[in-house]
């Protein structure tokens, strides 16, 4: 990690390969807290590692506050130390929607955890009752949650397939039982169950 010797390695996941080139971009986020930001958990949606011809290397990044949702621009100089936020995950089951709130339950203690529509955001389109999700906690408060990487959903509306259609023969939009709309192969019909990648909303296969 030339030019950034004192930054903790744990802040750079293996999938974010920082090269020795002048610019390296990483989109794999991690969570930190620093005294600069009063130990509030911030998420790094992306950062750019810059190694200029003269002078010390630095990282230019966008940070998103998990609590307020606000984003700030920040530049860290070589040698900066960043402390990881004390975040932990627990698996909870999404049980039902109560008005504008999404209710998750601990199946051992039956304790409920609620997130509002803003906190759930676009993830709602892949969220289904009975689904196990990872809730992220900071200081005893739920600040976010993670969907399973792949989910099984049912096609409720789609144009009928045509005889001779193949997986390579094009695609068409399909509405799923959660309300999500994804592109599926032409041979997929209403009532079929499919696997969807929640990271990009893409069809993977028949279930």
């Amino acid at each position: 990690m030339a030019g950034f010797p004192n930054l903790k390695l744990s802040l750079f996941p293996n999938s974010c390969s920082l090269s020795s080139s002048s610019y390296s971009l990483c989109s794999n986020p991690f969570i930190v807290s620093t005294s600069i930001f009063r130990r509030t958990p911030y998420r790094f949606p992306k950062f750019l590692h810059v190694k200029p011809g003269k002078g010390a290397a630095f990282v230019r990044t966008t940070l998103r506050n998990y609590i307020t949702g606000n984003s700030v621009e920040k530049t860290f100089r070589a040698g900066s130390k960043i402390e990881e936020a004390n975040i932990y995950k627990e698996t909870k089951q999404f049980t039902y929607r109560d008005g504008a709130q999404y209710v998750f339950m601990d199946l051992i203690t039956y304790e409920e955890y609620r997130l509002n529509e803003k906190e759930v955001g676009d993830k709602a389109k892949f969220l289904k009752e009975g689904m196990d999700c990872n809730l992220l906690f900071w200081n005893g408060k739920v600040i976010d949650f993670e969907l399973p990487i792949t989910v099984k959903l049912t096609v409720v509306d789609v144009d009928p397939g045509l005889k001779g259609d193949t997986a390579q023969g094009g695609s068409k939009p399909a509405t799923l039982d959660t309300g999500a709309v994804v592109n599926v192969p032409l041979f997929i019909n209403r009532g079929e169950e499919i696997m969807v990648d929640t990271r990009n909303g893409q069809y993977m296969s028949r279930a």
Side-chain angles (χ1 to χ4, degrees):
M1 196 173 301
F4 229 120
N6 296 323
L7 214 78
K8 294 181 180 179
L9 282 173
S10 58
L11 297 183
F12 294 104
N14 292 333
S15 57
C16 298
S17 57
L18 288 181
S19 67
S20 59
S21 60
S22 297
Y23 297 92
S24 298
L25 181 63
C26 175
S27 59
N28 192 348
F30 47 87
I31 306 167
V32 302
S33 64
T34 73
S35 57
I36 298 174
F37 303 113
R38 300 178 182 177
R39 298 195 177 278
T40 301
Y42 275 77
R43 185 183 182 91
F44 284 58
K46 61 181 179 179
F47 62 83
L48 180 68
H49 179 250
V50 182
K51 186 178 180 183
K54 295 182 178 180
F58 61 91
V59 167
R60 184 181 299 117
T61 183
T62 299
L63 294 82
R64 182 174 67 82
N65 189 309
Y66 256 116
I67 306 302
T68 65
N70 296 330
S71 295
V72 295
E73 301 290 333
K74 181 67 180 176
T75 298
F76 295 95
R77 295 184 300 176
S80 298
K81 292 181 182 289
I82 304 175
E83 178 186 355
E84 289 190 68
N86 185 20
I87 303 291
Y88 64 94
K89 301 178 183 180
E90 290 186 359
T91 301
K92 311 296 179 184
Q93 186 179 93
F94 172 59
T95 51
Y96 64 97
R97 183 171 178 177
D98 183 11
Q101 294 186 321
Y102 293 78
V103 183
F104 297 81
M105 180 180 290
D106 187 309
L107 296 182
I108 298 178
T109 65
Y110 300 107
E111 184 175 359
E112 291 185 348
Y113 302 86
R114 292 172 177 258
L115 294 173
N116 59 40
E117 289 179 329
K118 183 178 179 180
E119 292 170 323
V120 172
D122 289 340
K123 296 177 185 178
K125 62 186 178 182
F126 297 120
L127 193 57
K128 192 172 182 178
E129 291 184 5
M131 183 178 291
D132 288 337
C133 302
N134 285 326
L135 268 58
L136 276 65
F137 290 84
W138 176 74
N139 284 355
K141 174 183 172 59
V142 180
I143 61 172
D144 199 1
F145 78 101
E146 298 175 344
L147 290 166
I149 294 177
T150 59
V151 294
K152 181 170 67 173
L153 301 174
T154 303
V155 177
V156 297
D157 188 26
V158 69
D159 289 338
L162 301 174
K163 187 176 181 180
D165 287 341
T166 65
Q168 290 77 33
S171 64
K172 58 186 178 181
T175 303
L176 309 181
D177 52 344
T178 57
V181 177
V182 301
N183 287 324
V184 300
L186 296 176
F187 58 78
I188 295 295
N189 292 301
R190 186 179 302 176
E192 291 194 64
E193 292 183 325
I194 63 173
M195 302 302 296
V196 178
D197 189 326
T198 60
R199 296 169 297 183
N200 52 30
Q202 292 184 356
Y203 165 90
M204 297 180 66
S205 65
R206 280 176 165 148

